[in-house]
Amino acid sequence: MKALLSSVIIPWQQPHPKPRIPVVCCSTINGSSSSSSEANLQSSQPQECKSSNAEEPKQSEIWRLFREAQKNILHLNQHRLKAVEDLNKINIEKQLLVDRIEQLELEKQTAVAKPQDRLSMFWELLLRIDSMVLMGMVTIGEASNLRRLVMDHKVSVAEVFNDTLQKSDAEILAELRHFLERNQRNGFHIVHVCTEMAPLVSVGSLASYVTGLSCALQRKGHLVEVILPKYSNLDLDEVQGLQEIEAECYSYFNGQLHGNRIWTGVVYGIGVTLIQPLYYSSFFNRERVYGYSDDFERFTYFSRASLDYIVKSGKQPDVIHIHNWETAIIGPLFWDIIVKQGLEGTRVLLTCHDLNSQCLEHPEKLALCGLDPARLHRPDRLQDTTKAHLVNVLKGGVVYSNKVVIMSSIHSKGRVIHSLSHGLDHTLNIHKNKVVIAPCGFDNCTWDPSTDNFLPQQYSVKDMKGKAVCKAALQQHLGLSEHSSTILVGCIFSKVSDVDLENLRAVFRKARRIDVQFIIKGISKISSVNKLGLVHEPLKDKNVRFIDGHDEKQSHLIFAGSDIILCQSFHDPVLQVPLKALKYGAAPIAVNSNDDGFRNFVEHDYETTNFSRFISSTFGNMSITQALDEIRNNPSKWKRKIMDAMEMDFSWDAECCDIHASAYTAIKNL
């Protein structure tokens, strides 16, 4: 700026012309001056004046041009200064815009990268409301209103209460009351009372089901929470905001009230409550989850404690979702004792993952949790059909639940009731109108080849180039010959039966005539791995590889690199091998004891699942030999099958979630 100002020319005033001195010309003639000097002087004056008069217009014109030039320079400098100012303003505005863009990008990345942080905050707030009820800060009615407020305004609540953990209960309560605006709620409030949840405690298929379904339901606008026993061996690494509620919580058992410690936290955006018995502390302070002689007492205590906690905390869920025999006792407990304690609008849904495990007990033990044995030990209630002197806990859950969901990916409702119910066929047939069949799902956030970071190159149905790259990488990793034309068959087992071993041997013998490579991966206990060794010994071949142990990256690469995946069954709720195979563009072929060794009977029934019907029309009745022949002889048809399969959605968010949402809707309308 100083440089610019220094370049400006300041106009100056024209100086007055100096008075001209007349020039006197003296001439000497013959050494003397003559009076002619006067004449010369006079004669020269008119000449000088004439010359001066001629120069004045020129000087005036010069000064005019000079002044005009000065004005132009000044004008240009003024424009230059204005341009510099405008440029500076533009640069400042540009920088502000860049800063704003960066801020918005950061906010967007934060919003995309950490959606569960917002869910965690949301659940921390709901769990703090539970604590307020237990500590007597709010009434049950007000707590219900506050919960609905939080449920209806997730986004705005997340912005207002973004520092929940740093505030006291009194501060949060004051802000909630100020924020209270009642709107109609669209989603359901579901409370799972269960014995497993991934990743806290996983024994069987229940763990991944509870977590997968809960996350899917919440993504569709429902509010889902989980109540678990506080086992001593829980994996708490994924629990956010774990804290103990500083309030006494009692539950009824064996004729008196017993204290429990209540812990709350958030897992994958799902609110979790852990119940820890004080007097009966040994119930869940054990090495295993199941398999003890007092399992009935352990899980009956937990079931009653869960219901008592729901009542005392003022929760009024739409559905209490119970699972297997371990929490099936909640059915009769709810309708005989709990429903009149403010839960008249709540319904009960039972999910059965294993109909073979039913829990038969002596009727008098029902009194431990407050039930009347004489009232329940009847054929139309809990009395076991075969052993009439005992009560059947799972049967009680079926009878007293408003809806029963049986998890089966391939079997129809009729087949389950009449052939796979393990003695419950009479009861299920009586209550068949409330029985529905649902398939298992899988986590498509973790298992998706288009976003899988374990793969050397991602791929999708629209661009399959990455699958060939994954196949070559898998072959190289395991020391197999790298030929794209070679058919790669992956086998992932958790439990290998003697029948499966014989089938595997038969497949290997047939495949020796074809250019096929096999990768056998056992991810189970030592006994199953040792059984795989029985296959390995007689089949030491350059085209066969055996892998022992769990390796997440390796498992993803096997699915991505294989053309075919052998599985033990299409109903695989634990490993979910068929579902993952379809997603990764590999054909699932089931192993069983049929003559071909790899056929699986899938029913054509209107009450089967979409997954069952799809498998039946594609790979369900196909043997490994037929699959290999089709790859070789009709590659275009095979490719079409694979691409159609990849486009299907069998995740938790799809059919499984929809069936459960429909079941919740049906029982709420009762």
Side-chain angles (χ1 to χ4, degrees):
M1 184 63 73
K2 290 181 180 179
L4 289 172
L5 291 174
S6 63
S7 66
V8 178
I9 300 176
I10 306 301
W12 48 276
Q13 292 183 348
Q14 179 178 341
H16 296 288
K18 295 180 181 180
R20 293 182 177 272
I21 302 174
V23 179
V24 178
C25 297
C26 299
S27 62
T28 303
I29 301 175
N30 297 325
S32 63
S33 60
S34 173
S35 61
S36 64
S37 60
E38 295 181 9
N40 290 337
L41 176 62
Q42 297 200 7
S43 64
S44 66
Q45 284 178 348
Q47 191 174 3
E48 182 183 9
C49 291
K50 185 177 180 181
S51 174
S52 176
N53 292 336
E55 291 177 359
E56 283 181 1
K58 293 181 180 180
Q59 291 178 350
S60 178
E61 180 65 18
I62 291 171
W63 282 112
R64 186 186 67 78
L65 293 173
F66 181 71
R67 285 194 299 272
E68 188 176 339
Q70 283 181 319
K71 290 179 181 179
N72 290 336
I73 292 171
L74 181 61
H75 183 71
L76 290 172
N77 275 300
Q78 288 174 343
H79 277 282
R80 182 182 175 187
L81 286 172
K82 184 68 168 59
V84 171
E85 290 177 3
D86 292 342
L87 181 61
N88 288 336
K89 288 181 180 179
I90 291 172
N91 287 333
I92 293 172
E93 291 174 357
K94 177 184 176 182
Q95 188 58 46
L96 290 173
L97 183 59
V98 170
D99 293 342
R100 179 59 178 159
I101 291 173
E102 291 177 353
Q103 181 183 354
L104 291 173
E105 285 293 332
L106 182 61
E107 292 175 358
K108 180 180 178 182
Q109 291 173 7
T110 303
V112 173
K114 300 181 179 180
Q116 290 181 357
D117 287 350
R118 296 194 301 277
L119 277 175
S120 298
M121 186 284 309
F122 168 73
W123 264 109
E124 286 168 7
L125 193 56
L126 288 174
L127 294 171
R128 291 289 284 274
I129 295 174
D130 293 351
S131 176
M132 294 174 197
V133 177
L134 295 176
M135 297 176 70
M137 295 178 63
V138 296
T139 65
I140 290 176
E142 184 179 8
S144 178
N145 292 340
L146 293 177
R147 290 191 188 97
R148 294 194 177 209
L149 162 71
V150 175
M151 292 165 60
D152 291 343
H153 302 277
K154 287 184 182 180
V155 176
S156 53
V157 165
E159 295 173 354
V160 175
F161 299 93
N162 55 8
D163 54 351
T164 307
L165 291 178
Q166 284 70 43
K167 295 180 180 179
S168 67
D169 286 345
E171 290 174 321
I172 293 174
L173 179 57
E175 292 184 12
L176 280 170
R177 284 170 172 166
H178 180 71
F179 192 75
L180 186 58
E181 293 176 2
R182 293 288 303 278
N183 286 331
Q184 185 178 359
R185 177 162 52 105
N186 296 321
F188 293 116
H189 179 192
I190 301 123
V191 177
H192 288 275
V193 183
C194 51
T195 54
E196 297 179 41
M197 178 190 183
L200 275 68
V201 52
S202 300
V203 178
S205 61
L206 175 60
S208 59
Y209 163 84
V210 169
T211 304
L213 177 62
S214 298
C215 290
L217 287 167
Q218 287 208 152
R219 282 191 287 267
K220 296 191 177 183
H222 304 286
L223 174 66
V224 188
E225 56 182 306
V226 176
I227 301 178
L228 288 165
K230 192 176 187 301
Y231 303 103
S232 59
N233 57 354
L234 283 177
D235 182 357
L236 300 176
D237 291 343
E238 296 294 335
V239 182
Q240 295 179 289
L242 180 64
Q243 60 180 339
E244 182 182 359
I245 295 179
E246 298 296 333
E248 294 179 341
C249 185
Y250 292 91
S251 61
Y252 179 89
F253 192 75
N254 197 18
Q256 56 185 309
L257 296 176
H258 297 280
N260 301 287
R261 298 175 70 184
I262 304 298
W263 300 77
T264 60
V266 181
V267 178
Y268 298 157
I270 304 163
V272 175
T273 300
L274 306 175
I275 296 181
Q276 181 180 11
L278 295 178
Y279 183 78
Y280 290 98
S281 58
S282 64
F283 275 175
F284 304 111
N285 189 21
R286 303 181 185 183
E287 182 180 355
R288 303 188 311 272
V289 173
Y290 311 117
Y292 296 97
S293 60
D294 61 347
D295 276 357
F296 173 81
E297 289 84 351
R298 295 169 66 222
F299 295 114
T300 298
Y301 179 96
F302 166 68
S303 296
R304 178 63 192 260
S306 298
L307 289 175
D308 288 337
Y309 168 73
I310 289 173
V311 171
K312 188 170 184 181
S313 62
K315 297 179 187 293
Q316 294 178 322
D318 296 298
V319 179
I320 296 177
H321 193 149
I322 57 180
H323 305 268
N324 298 333
W325 79 258
E326 285 83 4
T327 54
I329 199 69
I330 285 178
L333 269 173
F334 179 82
W335 291 110
D336 282 7
I337 298 174
I338 303 297
V339 66
K340 295 180 181 179
Q341 301 181 37
L343 296 176
E344 290 82 1
T346 301
R347 299 292 180 265
V348 179
L349 183 143
L350 168 68
T351 294
C352 297
H353 297 261
D354 182 9
L355 290 172
N356 190 36
S357 183
Q358 300 176 12
C359 186
L360 304 184
E361 277 292 349
H362 295 285
E364 57 268 21
K365 282 193 174 184
L366 295 175
L368 289 172
C369 60
L371 290 171
D372 182 359
R375 172 180 165 80
L376 297 176
H377 190 210
R378 292 166 40 176
D380 60 337
R381 297 184 181 175
L382 271 70
Q383 186 179 33
D384 187 64
T385 304
T386 304
K387 299 179 180 180
H389 65 290
L390 300 176
V391 291
N392 187 318
V393 179
L394 185 60
K395 175 184 175 180
V398 172
V399 172
Y400 277 86
S401 293
N402 300 104
K403 208 77 172 175
V404 178
V405 177
I406 298 176
M407 301 304 295
S408 177
S409 294
I410 59 174
H411 297 301
S412 70
K413 178 177 170 178
R415 180 171 169 81
V416 169
I417 291 175
H418 298 294
S419 304
L420 304 171
S421 56
H422 301 278
L424 283 178
D425 50 318
H426 178 70
T427 302
L428 291 173
N429 195 51
I430 291 174
H431 297 275
K432 63 183 178 181
N433 290 335
K434 65 181 182 183
V435 175
V436 295
I437 304 295
C440 295
F442 74 103
D443 181 6
N444 61 349
C445 295
T446 303
W447 293 91
D448 184 347
S450 66
T451 58
D452 194 334
N453 292 324
F454 286 120
L455 304 183
Q457 183 172 326
Q458 297 167 349
Y459 62 93
S460 68
V461 68
K462 295 180 180 179
D463 183 5
M464 294 288 286
K465 295 177 183 177
K467 186 165 179 67
V469 174
C470 293
K471 183 175 183 177
L474 180 60
Q475 291 171 324
Q476 183 180 19
H477 174 69
L478 296 176
L480 295 167
S481 58
E482 299 178 37
H483 298 292
S484 59
S485 60
T486 301
I487 300 173
L488 191 57
V489 179
C491 313
I492 299 180
F493 296 129
S494 62
K495 182 180 179 181
V496 183
S497 67
D498 293 334
V499 173
D500 293 336
L501 290 175
E502 190 58 40
N503 288 333
L504 285 174
R505 292 192 188 100
V507 169
F508 292 160
R509 285 193 294 270
K510 293 178 181 178
R512 281 181 171 175
R513 301 190 298 268
I514 310 173
D515 188 13
V516 181
Q517 297 171 339
F518 286 91
I519 299 172
I520 315 296
K521 183 175 177 63
I523 49 175
S524 183
K525 297 180 180 179
I526 300 300
S527 58
S528 293
V529 176
N530 288 341
K531 282 189 175 183
L532 282 176
L534 299 176
V535 186
H536 189 196
E537 285 303 319
L539 293 172
K540 291 181 179 178
D541 189 277
K542 65 178 181 178
N543 288 329
V544 180
R545 294 292 184 272
F546 291 85
I547 305 172
D548 182 8
H550 178 72
D551 184 326
E552 188 74 8
K553 181 177 180 179
Q554 194 177 69
S555 296
H556 283 246
L557 191 57
I558 290 174
F559 280 106
S562 298
D563 300 295
I564 295 172
I565 293 287
L566 298 182
C567 50
Q568 290 169 300
S569 170
F570 287 116
H571 178 63
D572 182 6
V574 178
L575 295 182
Q576 302 153 351
V577 170
L579 303 177
K580 295 171 184 176
L582 293 172
K583 188 67 177 178
Y584 279 70
I589 303 296
V591 182
N592 63 22
S593 58
N594 289 338
D595 292 339
D596 286 331
F598 294 91
R599 287 179 182 258
N600 189 71
F601 177 73
V602 183
E603 299 165 290
H604 298 273
D605 191 303
Y606 75 98
E607 289 187 285
T608 57
T609 63
N610 293 336
F611 172 77
S612 176
R613 289 189 287 272
F614 176 80
I615 285 294
S616 177
S617 64
T618 53
F619 308 108
N621 295 304
M622 182 178 285
S623 69
I624 183 67
T625 304
Q626 291 170 326
L628 295 173
D629 288 344
E630 187 166 309
I631 292 175
R632 291 294 189 196
N633 302 324
N634 200 341
S636 59
K637 180 181 178 182
W638 180 264
K639 182 179 179 181
R640 185 67 262 166
K641 277 185 180 179
I642 293 298
M643 296 183 74
D644 287 344
M646 290 181 68
E647 289 182 324
M648 300 295 290
D649 184 5
F650 296 119
S651 68
W652 294 115
D653 296 78
E655 185 179 12
C656 180
C657 182
D658 292 342
I659 289 175
H660 283 81
S662 297
Y664 297 146
T665 302
I667 61 179
K668 278 300 291 181
N669 293 330
L670 293 176

